[in-house]
Amino acid sequence: MTSLKDATVLVTGANGGLGTALVDAALRRGARHVYAAARNPKEWGDERVTPLQLDLTDPDSIERAAAQAGDVTVLINNAAVFPRGDLLTAPVQDVREAVDANLLGPILVVRAFAPGLLAAKGALVNIGSVLSWFAVGKAHSVSKAGLWMATNAFRLELAPQGVHVLGVYPGPIDTPMQPGDDRSGMSRPADIAAATYDALEAGEFELIPDAMAAKVHGALSQPVTALYPALAAG
Ligand SMILES: NC(=O)c1ccc[n+]([C@@H]2O[C@H](COP(=O)([O-])OP(=O)(O)OC[C@H]3O[C@@H](n4cnc5c(N)ncnc54)[C@H](OP(=O)(O)O)[C@@H]3O)[C@@H](O)[C@H]2O)c1
């Protein structure tokens, strides 16, 4: 169980929809200090928040951030990209960016911050997605599936050393990552942030916060046609 009270939290992608909600909610729960990491850091107007430059596709920036923020006790890998093209035909740089930003980047972040997390017996939160288990997100799904497994692998390595690892797998959230005008059925970022910290404080290993994610997760043990019924029709 990890309390946010007096924690030192780092959120990647802090300027995004869920990232901002995670920063705000950490402060409301009594975090002593929050590093708001972003490609283009901004001022937050709160002395408890330190903006930090961190680009997940730039390993040097990850090392620099870890050197500046070695006191992090709760590390949140939140940032991600969602290129929309098909895996077969999208520009290969889009596929590479998804894997770099959504999978390799978070792995490098954990490796860079691990010494501090281990010393503090802190916690790691990786924000996955329902698309960790469902291929419609194409390159994004590929990268998020990898992050799901990396989260489980890190947990096996870190738990015996006292670091808790939480994986979060939401369905659609009303943030700039979601295109279009129809926002119905989407979770509010503030609700996912609150559920994330509730799960962390309760010592959960996974958070599956909505019905869509629970349904897809439940279908994983069934034949592949349960998730992709069109295959059975053909
Ligand atoms: N929205 C959904 O429906 C949904 C559903 C399930 C899971 N999630 C997950 O929730 C997390 C947060 O996404 P969101 O919905 O809040 O989307 P968002 O508003 O688009 O935020 C994503 C953030 O990631 C940052 N980012 C992108 N590439 C980066 C890089 N190379 N280095 C550092 N930061 C980078 C972006 O930075 P800039 O501000 O510089 O662009 C942005 O602030 C993601 O992991 C996403 O996969 C979202």
Side-chain angles (χ1 to χ4, degrees):
M1 282 177 280
T2 304
S3 173
L4 269 294
K5 177 106 180 64
D6 293 328
T8 297
V9 180
L10 185 144
V11 181
T12 66
N15 296 353
L18 182 57
T20 299
L22 287 165
V23 171
D24 290 344
L27 294 173
R28 274 200 303 279
R29 290 188 187 221
R32 185 193 306 272
H33 193 185
V34 180
Y35 292 103
R39 290 190 280 204
N40 301 300
K42 66 172 189 185
E43 283 306 320
W44 287 72
D46 186 317
E47 62 185 14
R48 295 168 296 172
V49 181
T50 301
L52 205 59
Q53 204 278 331
L54 192 160
D55 185 332
L56 289 163
T57 64
D58 174 3
D60 289 344
S61 82
I62 294 173
E63 290 298 331
R64 277 196 303 275
Q68 281 174 263
D71 57 342
V72 168
T73 62
V74 176
L75 172 65
I76 306 182
N77 269 314
N78 163 72
V81 291
F82 195 157
R84 301 284 160 174
D86 283 354
L87 200 52
L88 204 54
T89 55
V92 73
Q93 59 265 32
D94 288 1
V95 178
R96 187 172 284 126
E97 188 194 6
V99 174
D100 278 354
N102 300 357
L103 175 56
L104 186 58
I107 290 173
L108 296 180
V109 168
V110 176
R111 290 167 61 105
F113 282 88
L117 288 183
L118 289 165
K121 297 203 183 303
L124 164 67
V125 179
N126 282 344
I127 306 294
S129 168
V130 65
L131 298 181
S132 295
W133 308 313
F134 196 41
V136 297
K138 301 163 183 174
H140 181 83
S141 289
V142 170
S143 65
K144 287 289 187 178
L147 184 64
W148 173 40
M149 201 53 71
T151 303
N152 291 337
F154 275 132
R155 185 180 297 113
L156 292 179
E157 296 178 27
L158 292 171
Q161 303 183 70
V163 175
H164 187 77
V165 178
L166 169 66
V168 178
Y169 303 95
I173 311 170
D174 186 1
T175 74
M177 187 173 278
Q178 286 286 348
D181 293 332
D182 182 5
R183 319 305 283 176
S184 57
M186 295 186 190
S187 299
R188 293 169 55 234
D191 292 340
I192 298 300
T196 297
Y197 291 142
D198 285 347
L200 192 60
E201 294 187 326
E204 304 287 352
F205 293 125
E206 289 192 330
L207 170 64
I208 301 174
D210 55 74
M212 180 193 289
K215 184 174 176 193
V216 171
H217 184 252
L220 288 177
S221 60
Q222 298 173 39
V224 71
T225 47
L227 274 178
Y228 310 102
L231 294 175

